[in-house]
Amino acid sequence: METVNKTAKVQFFFRPFSPDPGVQMVIFVTFLVMYLTSLSGNATIAVIVHINHSLHTPMYFFLANLAVLEIFYTSSIAPLALANLLSMGKTPVSITGCGTQMFFFVFLGGADCVLLAVMAYDRFVAICYPLRYTLIMSWSLCVEMMVGSLVLGFLLSLPLTILIFHLPFCHNNEIYHFYCDMPAVIRLACGDTHVHRTALYIISFIVLSIPLTLISISYVFIITAILRIRSAEGRHRAFSTCSSHIVVVLLQYGCTSFIYLSPSSSYSPEMGRMVSVVYTFITPILNPLIYSMRNKELKDALRKALRKF
């Protein structure tokens, strides 16, 4: 009971990137610019798809939902990170607040990974079965797959978050990170964490490896179908609809796999913090840029919208 009471009263603090306030301010401005850029870029994608009827297709439906997910995903991290950068790591977060942030981060990140697999399936059907595309990718199926992504993210996040926050936390309450990331929080526990690390690895493996396997299988069939297209223009058009998705998948899965699937013995807090900046701030910026630059229909819709203003 005494351990439970100690844990309930714990407040976490985040270690500053630098002891120099000037350096912290530079990092704060950088994070703020990245956050606002991510919000504006993803919001633009979502709004453009919503207001342009020519983009009301399954591919853009999933793209708009990915943009909305990225907004919430980054927003679960950025405000607290920015507050701590300004306060030199003196802004406390309760164990409840840390658990809430952890839950939404894993929930939205897991849904993001599943949605990328759904988008790969959409491209597989579009390229391999173009004549049956509208029949297979019905709106009801699209909505069901989108809801399924959210449900899977929720089901994976909730038990893991509950499990980790049943650990006892005693005196060491400085998180070597800029948000409540699971590996960093587990390191602070003053009890046996073997079961928790194993659970984290298993769930991370499920979230990352299964969708990535499905994406890889989809692209084997997609590339085979593209190579069968006789005209160079047709091959180029087919590949251009997939290349942006491939880049986003490599960024997302590469960074998260590095953090969550590496052996715990080789985990470096400093490296973990730096790599996390990529998939929490940089990737959400790159997603709208990659999709808008590689997609002619989206660029045309954006130009038309800008002309109206």
Side-chain angles (χ1 to χ4, degrees):
M1 183 62 70
E2 185 180 350
T3 303
V4 174
N5 288 336
K6 282 183 180 179
T7 299
K9 295 175 183 177
V10 166
Q11 285 189 316
F12 293 113
F13 295 86
F14 298 98
R15 181 177 295 190
F17 280 85
S18 169
D20 185 342
V23 174
Q24 283 284 107
M25 183 55 66
V26 171
I27 297 173
F28 168 81
V29 172
T30 303
F31 272 43
L32 180 61
V33 170
M34 288 194 294
Y35 178 49
L36 294 177
T37 303
S38 170
L39 287 183
S40 57
N42 284 293
T44 300
I45 294 287
V47 170
I48 290 296
V49 172
H50 177 71
I51 65 175
N52 197 305
H53 292 288
S54 66
L55 300 181
H56 290 183
T57 63
M59 182 177 76
Y60 293 107
F61 168 77
F62 293 129
L63 180 56
N65 278 280
L66 179 66
V68 173
L69 268 182
E70 294 284 16
I71 290 171
F72 286 107
Y73 175 73
T74 311
S75 296
S76 70
I77 301 297
L80 186 59
L82 291 169
N84 274 279
L85 284 166
L86 273 182
S87 67
M88 293 291 295
K90 294 177 181 176
T91 301
V93 56
S94 66
I95 194 164
T96 303
C98 198
T100 302
Q101 185 187 60
M102 185 180 289
F103 166 76
F104 280 104
F105 173 72
V106 178
F107 163 43
L108 296 167
D112 199 318
C113 290
V114 177
L115 184 56
L116 287 173
V118 169
M119 294 172 74
Y121 175 74
D122 171 68
R123 292 298 82 209
F124 160 71
V125 176
I127 292 173
C128 297
Y129 302 98
L131 299 179
R132 298 172 57 196
Y133 178 72
T134 54
L135 182 64
I136 297 173
M137 297 301 295
S138 64
W139 280 113
S140 60
L141 178 63
C142 292
V143 172
E144 287 170 5
M145 288 196 292
M146 184 63 228
V147 172
S149 301
L150 295 173
V151 170
L152 285 171
F154 177 85
L155 292 176
L156 291 168
S157 176
L158 185 61
L160 187 58
T161 306
I162 292 173
L163 182 66
I164 287 177
F165 279 89
H166 271 77
L167 280 168
F169 296 96
C170 304
H171 305 292
N172 184 13
N173 62 349
E174 185 184 54
I175 300 175
Y176 200 133
H177 220 299
F178 57 90
Y179 67 96
C180 292
D181 194 26
M182 288 189 176
V185 172
I186 289 176
R187 289 172 68 87
L188 301 184
C190 52
D192 182 18
T193 61
H194 177 73
V195 172
H196 305 77
R197 292 179 188 277
T198 302
L200 175 60
Y201 186 86
I202 290 171
I203 290 179
S204 299
F205 184 81
I206 292 170
V207 171
L208 294 170
S209 65
I210 294 179
L212 185 58
T213 300
L214 295 174
I215 291 170
S216 301
I217 292 170
S218 295
Y219 274 104
V220 168
F221 287 105
I222 287 170
I223 292 170
T224 302
I226 289 175
L227 293 176
R228 289 175 184 164
I229 298 174
R230 293 183 179 180
S231 69
E233 183 182 349
R235 287 195 299 270
H236 176 75
R237 189 184 301 112
F239 184 73
S240 66
T241 64
C242 302
S243 56
S244 52
H245 181 258
I246 293 172
V247 173
V248 170
V249 166
L250 291 175
L251 282 171
Q252 181 77 10
Y253 282 88
C255 293
T256 50
S257 296
F258 179 82
I259 297 297
Y260 293 101
L261 296 183
S262 297
S264 58
S265 58
S266 64
Y267 177 78
S268 164
E270 186 63 37
M271 182 61 71
R273 187 164 64 170
M274 298 308 295
V275 174
S276 296
V277 173
V278 176
Y279 63 80
T280 55
F281 281 92
I282 297 176
T283 302
I285 293 173
L286 294 178
N287 284 357
L289 288 175
I290 291 168
Y291 278 111
S292 59
M293 285 190 298
R294 299 291 302 175
N295 193 294
K296 185 177 183 301
E297 289 178 316
L298 198 57
K299 284 192 288 187
D300 291 343
L302 183 58
R303 288 193 196 99
K304 290 176 183 177
L306 290 173
R307 287 194 198 105
K308 292 180 180 179
F309 293 101

